[in-house]
mmCIF file of all heavy atoms in Angstrom:
data_model
loop_
_atom_site.group_PDB
_atom_site.id
_atom_site.type_symbol
_atom_site.label_atom_id
_atom_site.label_comp_id
_atom_site.label_asym_id
_atom_site.label_seq_id
_atom_site.Cartn_x
_atom_site.Cartn_y
_atom_site.Cartn_z
ATOM 1 N N GLY N 239 93.412 280.618 152.897
ATOM 2 C CA GLY N 239 93.876 281.682 153.753
ATOM 3 C C GLY N 239 95.404 281.570 153.860
ATOM 4 O O GLY N 239 96.113 280.837 153.217
ATOM 5 N N GLY N 240 95.966 282.406 154.774
ATOM 6 C CA GLY N 240 97.427 282.494 154.865
ATOM 7 C C GLY N 240 97.837 283.187 156.145
ATOM 8 O O GLY N 240 97.033 283.733 156.872
ATOM 9 N N VAL N 241 99.180 283.191 156.330
ATOM 10 C CA VAL N 241 99.727 283.822 157.449
ATOM 11 C C VAL N 241 100.993 284.567 157.038
ATOM 12 O O VAL N 241 101.852 284.116 156.327
ATOM 13 C CB VAL N 241 100.179 282.858 158.488
ATOM 14 C CG1 VAL N 241 100.809 283.487 159.789
ATOM 15 C CG2 VAL N 241 99.096 281.910 158.936
ATOM 16 N N THR N 242 101.055 285.938 157.433
ATOM 17 C CA THR N 242 102.352 286.663 157.149
ATOM 18 C C THR N 242 102.959 287.045 158.503
ATOM 19 O O THR N 242 102.295 287.316 159.466
ATOM 20 C CB THR N 242 102.072 287.903 156.337
ATOM 21 O OG1 THR N 242 101.105 288.792 156.965
ATOM 22 C CG2 THR N 242 101.570 287.670 154.907
ATOM 23 N N TYR N 243 104.302 286.971 158.454
ATOM 24 C CA TYR N 243 105.091 287.264 159.687
ATOM 25 C C TYR N 243 106.049 288.283 159.207
ATOM 26 O O TYR N 243 106.826 288.003 158.339
ATOM 27 C CB TYR N 243 105.705 285.968 160.171
ATOM 28 C CG TYR N 243 106.730 286.195 161.263
ATOM 29 C CD1 TYR N 243 106.445 286.691 162.505
ATOM 30 C CD2 TYR N 243 108.041 285.840 161.057
ATOM 31 C CE1 TYR N 243 107.371 286.895 163.530
ATOM 32 C CE2 TYR N 243 109.044 285.976 162.006
ATOM 33 C CZ TYR N 243 108.742 286.508 163.197
ATOM 34 O OH TYR N 243 109.634 286.723 164.221
ATOM 35 N N GLU N 244 106.049 289.422 159.765
ATOM 36 C CA GLU N 244 106.926 290.513 159.393
ATOM 37 C C GLU N 244 106.849 290.743 157.837
ATOM 38 O O GLU N 244 107.906 290.892 157.234
ATOM 39 C CB GLU N 244 108.393 290.334 159.844
ATOM 40 C CG GLU N 244 108.542 289.900 161.318
ATOM 41 C CD GLU N 244 109.158 291.014 162.189
ATOM 42 O OE1 GLU N 244 108.619 292.145 162.011
ATOM 43 O OE2 GLU N 244 110.123 290.740 162.841
ATOM 44 N N GLY N 245 105.659 290.594 157.398
ATOM 45 C CA GLY N 245 105.485 290.785 155.916
ATOM 46 C C GLY N 245 105.932 289.576 155.075
ATOM 47 O O GLY N 245 105.695 289.600 153.846
ATOM 48 N N ARG N 246 106.432 288.549 155.611
ATOM 49 C CA ARG N 246 106.828 287.345 154.910
ATOM 50 C C ARG N 246 105.725 286.241 154.999
ATOM 51 O O ARG N 246 104.994 286.200 155.981
ATOM 52 C CB ARG N 246 108.122 286.817 155.357
ATOM 53 C CG ARG N 246 109.238 287.665 155.003
ATOM 54 C CD ARG N 246 110.593 287.091 155.521
ATOM 55 N NE ARG N 246 110.931 285.853 154.939
ATOM 56 C CZ ARG N 246 111.900 285.059 155.268
ATOM 57 N NH1 ARG N 246 112.695 285.458 156.228
ATOM 58 N NH2 ARG N 246 112.221 283.971 154.649
ATOM 59 N N ASP N 247 105.752 285.403 153.916
ATOM 60 C CA ASP N 247 104.789 284.279 153.925
ATOM 61 C C ASP N 247 105.253 283.222 154.935
ATOM 62 O O ASP N 247 106.173 282.389 154.624
ATOM 63 C CB ASP N 247 104.638 283.651 152.590
ATOM 64 C CG ASP N 247 103.733 282.483 152.482
ATOM 65 O OD1 ASP N 247 103.094 282.056 153.528
ATOM 66 O OD2 ASP N 247 103.603 281.851 151.384
ATOM 67 N N LEU N 248 104.694 283.180 156.130
ATOM 68 C CA LEU N 248 105.165 282.328 157.188
ATOM 69 C C LEU N 248 105.013 280.822 156.778
ATOM 70 O O LEU N 248 106.027 280.005 157.149
ATOM 71 C CB LEU N 248 104.502 282.576 158.490
ATOM 72 C CG LEU N 248 104.909 281.775 159.663
ATOM 73 C CD1 LEU N 248 106.227 282.310 160.255
ATOM 74 C CD2 LEU N 248 103.887 281.759 160.847
ATOM 75 N N LEU N 249 103.943 280.494 156.198
ATOM 76 C CA LEU N 249 103.794 279.079 155.963
ATOM 77 C C LEU N 249 104.728 278.464 154.873
ATOM 78 O O LEU N 249 104.853 277.232 154.791
ATOM 79 C CB LEU N 249 102.334 278.867 155.415
ATOM 80 C CG LEU N 249 101.228 279.331 156.430
ATOM 81 C CD1 LEU N 249 99.800 279.048 155.967
ATOM 82 C CD2 LEU N 249 101.409 278.703 157.775
ATOM 83 N N ALA N 250 105.483 279.374 154.144
ATOM 84 C CA ALA N 250 106.427 278.873 153.229
ATOM 85 C C ALA N 250 107.727 278.653 153.795
ATOM 86 O O ALA N 250 108.629 278.003 153.180
ATOM 87 C CB ALA N 250 106.488 279.840 152.042
ATOM 88 N N MET N 251 107.905 278.959 155.070
ATOM 89 C CA MET N 251 109.196 278.741 155.707
ATOM 90 C C MET N 251 109.279 277.481 156.445
ATOM 91 O O MET N 251 108.363 276.984 157.109
ATOM 92 C CB MET N 251 109.449 279.950 156.635
ATOM 93 C CG MET N 251 109.594 281.343 156.038
ATOM 94 S SD MET N 251 109.182 282.732 157.109
ATOM 95 C CE MET N 251 110.649 282.727 158.175
ATOM 96 N N ALA N 252 110.622 276.870 156.431
ATOM 97 C CA ALA N 252 110.779 275.614 157.253
ATOM 98 C C ALA N 252 110.767 276.022 158.795
ATOM 99 O O ALA N 252 111.032 277.045 159.102
ATOM 100 C CB ALA N 252 112.100 275.067 156.828
ATOM 101 N N PRO N 253 110.452 274.991 159.612
ATOM 102 C CA PRO N 253 110.401 275.304 161.018
ATOM 103 C C PRO N 253 111.636 275.958 161.603
ATOM 104 O O PRO N 253 111.494 276.924 162.405
ATOM 105 C CB PRO N 253 110.231 273.896 161.627
ATOM 106 C CG PRO N 253 109.685 273.047 160.586
ATOM 107 C CD PRO N 253 110.249 273.556 159.288
ATOM 108 N N GLU N 254 112.835 275.499 161.135
ATOM 109 C CA GLU N 254 114.033 276.073 161.674
ATOM 110 C C GLU N 254 114.186 277.491 161.274
ATOM 111 O O GLU N 254 114.824 278.361 161.955
ATOM 112 C CB GLU N 254 115.241 275.258 161.393
ATOM 113 C CG GLU N 254 115.511 274.946 159.941
ATOM 114 C CD GLU N 254 114.905 273.689 159.464
ATOM 115 O OE1 GLU N 254 113.766 273.388 159.873
ATOM 116 O OE2 GLU N 254 115.444 273.056 158.531
ATOM 117 N N GLU N 255 113.721 277.800 159.989
ATOM 118 C CA GLU N 255 113.864 279.231 159.424
ATOM 119 C C GLU N 255 112.941 280.069 160.311
ATOM 120 O O GLU N 255 113.340 281.176 160.588
ATOM 121 C CB GLU N 255 113.333 279.090 157.986
ATOM 122 C CG GLU N 255 113.976 280.055 157.039
ATOM 123 C CD GLU N 255 113.377 279.964 155.782
ATOM 124 O OE1 GLU N 255 112.844 278.894 155.327
ATOM 125 O OE2 GLU N 255 113.353 280.995 154.990
ATOM 126 N N ARG N 256 111.773 279.663 160.564
ATOM 127 C CA ARG N 256 110.848 280.487 161.410
ATOM 128 C C ARG N 256 111.566 280.719 162.789
ATOM 129 O O ARG N 256 111.498 281.867 163.303
ATOM 130 C CB ARG N 256 109.538 279.667 161.712
ATOM 131 C CG ARG N 256 108.836 279.386 160.336
ATOM 132 C CD ARG N 256 107.524 278.627 160.678
ATOM 133 N NE ARG N 256 107.089 277.981 159.386
ATOM 134 C CZ ARG N 256 105.854 277.574 159.199
ATOM 135 N NH1 ARG N 256 104.936 277.717 160.088
ATOM 136 N NH2 ARG N 256 105.505 276.973 158.037
ATOM 137 N N ALA N 257 112.159 279.686 163.338
ATOM 138 C CA ALA N 257 112.780 279.929 164.666
ATOM 139 C C ALA N 257 113.944 280.929 164.547
ATOM 140 O O ALA N 257 114.054 281.752 165.424
ATOM 141 C CB ALA N 257 113.348 278.478 165.197
ATOM 142 N N ARG N 258 114.703 280.831 163.468
ATOM 143 C CA ARG N 258 115.867 281.709 163.305
ATOM 144 C C ARG N 258 115.399 283.146 163.059
ATOM 145 O O ARG N 258 116.059 284.108 163.387
ATOM 146 C CB ARG N 258 116.738 281.264 162.151
ATOM 147 C CG ARG N 258 117.453 279.949 162.505
ATOM 148 C CD ARG N 258 118.006 279.242 161.318
ATOM 149 N NE ARG N 258 118.553 277.929 161.621
ATOM 150 C CZ ARG N 258 118.932 277.098 160.749
ATOM 151 N NH1 ARG N 258 118.994 277.466 159.470
ATOM 152 N NH2 ARG N 258 119.394 275.949 161.082
#
Side-chain angles (χ1 to χ4, degrees):
Chain N
V241 182
T242 55
Y243 168 65
E244 308 254 53
R246 292 179 63 185
D247 179 2
L248 183 73
L249 301 181
M251 294 158 73
E254 58 270 34
E255 211 183 331
R256 301 180 197 197
R258 292 165 188 174

